[in-house]
Amino acid sequence: MLNTLIIGASGYAGIELVYYLNKHSYVKILDLVVSSNSQDLGKSIDELYPQMKKIINLKLKSLDQAMKTNKKIDVVFLATDPVTSHNLVHFFIKKKCVVLDLSGAFRINNVNFYKKYYGFVHNYTDLLKKSTYGLAEWNKKNISKAQLIAVPGCYPTAALLSLKPLIESKYLDKKYYPVINAISGISGAGRKNILNNNFCEVSLNAYNLFKHRHEPEISYYLGIPIIFTPHIGNFSRGILSTITCKVKSDMLYEDILTIFKKFYSNEPLIRIYDNKKTPALKSVINLPFIDIGFSIKGKYLIIIAAEDNLLKGAATQAIQCLNIRFGFLETESIL
């Protein structure tokens, strides 16, 4: 059994980690951790989230309280903000834990990126070099031996899984930047009570044009520039991404389908639509899959990807990485 800490357990992604890891055949959750000034400190997780009743009732502790037990910790999940993750990863790496970080604090090996897009100075260039990007379907070999796994952002997961097959197959016309319009539910902004994230205040609108921190992440791992426009909608969870791009020559629907099936036919958490239909959010909410469909007209290709931002875009992708890292069935506790 892997003795496991979940830090940031009371957040939206954190509670999904709690639920799925509690079902894991090879994981023992030692403690659920929140910040020392959290209003949730000392509460039972099933008091905070009634859906956890008769499933798990551990109390939320501070990190100091959790570390006093002196129990060996094998795995740490960080469902925390980037600054908190930045400050904690080194501590757990020194303790020889495997760390899975759901924040953006270790995704890109460039210290200037963090100052520009995250607003803090990154002090761990050595760990940035050792960090492994946890795009599970594309980086299994490195994930399988990593000590620090940086789980991709929710928007990048949908964009990268949609576009990488075309890039790897050399069919994408790189002279034309892929245009990614993605709509996320309010849960993507986290659980903090901020007026702009209040359900009654949210309308469907674009935000952070040309400056969203996920744009350089997507571009970095695709190896090409992109145009990314994020939107927030007045629904709780899920992401729908519409990606418009151009291929090098006229292609048929069956040609694109063959490309996607080549890369994903054996991937259990990717569902490719092969009936000329496109995904909707209702098909993926509360499920760990990403659904991908498309339409092509000559050289112009539109890809539609749908995922639950808290699952395939966060918690279950992190657990998928855990399973790859330790040689378990990739879908253990997920399906």
Side-chain angles (χ1 to χ4, degrees):
M1 299 293 286
L2 296 171
N3 289 337
T4 301
L5 286 185
I6 303 172
I7 301 179
S10 65
Y12 292 140
I15 192 60
E16 299 292 353
L17 285 171
V18 172
Y19 175 72
Y20 282 93
L21 288 170
N22 186 60
K23 299 192 299 176
H24 203 291
S25 301
Y26 305 101
V27 167
K28 179 181 179 181
I29 300 176
L30 290 181
D31 279 307
L32 306 179
V33 176
V34 293
S35 68
S36 58
N37 58 1
S38 171
Q39 62 183 4
D40 302 324
L41 186 65
K43 295 179 181 177
S44 172
I45 195 68
D46 61 345
E47 175 188 355
L48 198 61
Y49 287 96
Q51 63 266 40
M52 293 292 107
K53 287 187 181 298
K54 294 192 176 181
I55 296 175
I56 185 170
N57 63 355
L58 289 177
K59 288 196 172 182
L60 296 161
K61 296 181 179 180
S62 69
L63 183 58
D64 286 343
Q65 290 171 335
M67 297 308 294
K68 283 179 181 177
T69 62
N70 289 321
K71 292 181 181 177
K72 180 180 181 294
I73 301 168
D74 300 302
V75 178
V76 177
F77 286 85
L78 294 173
T80 48
D81 66 85
V83 174
T84 300
S85 288
H86 169 265
N87 294 335
L88 288 178
V89 163
H90 186 257
F91 173 77
F92 286 109
I93 292 293
K94 285 181 67 177
K95 288 185 170 293
K96 303 190 183 305
C97 305
V98 170
V99 179
L100 296 106
D101 178 26
L102 279 69
S103 84
F106 290 88
R107 289 178 187 155
I108 292 180
N109 183 17
N110 182 340
V111 292
N112 296 325
F113 168 80
Y114 297 95
K115 181 66 175 176
K116 181 175 180 180
Y117 289 98
Y118 284 89
F120 67 90
V121 175
H122 208 295
N123 296 319
Y124 299 106
T125 55
D126 56 330
L127 290 178
L128 283 176
K129 292 175 184 176
K130 296 177 182 177
S131 177
T132 294
Y133 195 61
L135 190 66
E137 288 79 12
W138 287 91
N139 207 14
K140 292 182 184 181
K141 182 178 179 180
N142 291 327
I143 292 169
S144 69
K145 53 189 178 183
Q147 188 180 2
L148 171 57
I149 299 170
V151 181
C154 50
Y155 284 131
T157 295
L160 293 170
L161 292 177
S162 297
L163 286 168
K164 282 184 73 67
L166 295 168
I167 292 175
E168 293 295 317
S169 299
K170 303 187 186 306
Y171 284 106
L172 189 73
D173 190 337
K174 296 181 181 179
K175 296 193 299 289
Y176 300 88
Y177 295 179
V179 176
I180 303 166
N181 293 302
I183 306 171
S184 174
I186 302 168
S187 59
R191 188 166 167 259
K192 290 183 180 178
N193 186 20
I194 302 171
L195 181 61
N196 289 342
N197 295 340
N198 186 293
F199 200 88
C200 293
E201 298 292 330
V202 172
S203 180
L204 178 58
N205 63 278
Y207 66 101
N208 284 357
L209 304 184
F210 289 115
K211 58 183 181 180
H212 194 284
R213 59 184 61 168
H214 283 169
E215 180 171 336
E217 182 182 338
I218 296 168
S219 183
Y220 184 87
Y221 285 102
L222 284 179
I224 58 172
I226 53 121
I227 296 174
F228 174 58
T229 306
H231 300 70
I232 190 168
N234 56 350
F235 53 94
S236 62
R237 60 196 292 167
I239 285 177
L240 188 75
S241 291
T242 301
I243 302 168
T244 305
C245 57
K246 193 174 183 180
V247 292
K248 292 179 178 178
S249 59
D250 287 2
M251 300 182 75
L252 301 175
Y253 181 90
E254 290 73 19
D255 298 325
I256 302 299
L257 183 60
T258 297
I259 293 170
F260 278 112
K261 285 190 172 182
K262 173 186 175 182
F263 288 95
Y264 294 146
S265 59
N266 294 319
E267 296 297 343
L269 297 175
I270 298 181
R271 303 191 296 195
I272 303 299
Y273 283 41
D274 58 4
N275 52 6
K276 296 192 177 182
K277 294 184 178 180
T278 52
L281 279 182
K282 67 179 181 180
S283 301
V284 294
I285 297 303
N286 295 311
L287 291 172
F289 302 103
I290 182 167
D291 288 4
I292 299 174
F294 59 89
S295 182
I296 188 160
K297 184 177 182 180
K299 296 180 182 179
Y300 293 95
L301 176 65
I302 299 174
I303 306 170
I304 309 293
E307 68 180 5
D308 189 312
N309 58 301
L310 300 177
L311 296 181
K312 184 59 175 169
T316 55
Q317 181 159 223
I319 297 169
Q320 188 179 0
C321 289
L322 172 84
N323 291 335
I324 294 168
R325 170 61 178 78
F326 288 96
F328 306 138
L329 182 68
E330 199 166 320
T331 56
E332 166 63 38
S333 88
I334 298 173
L335 293 179

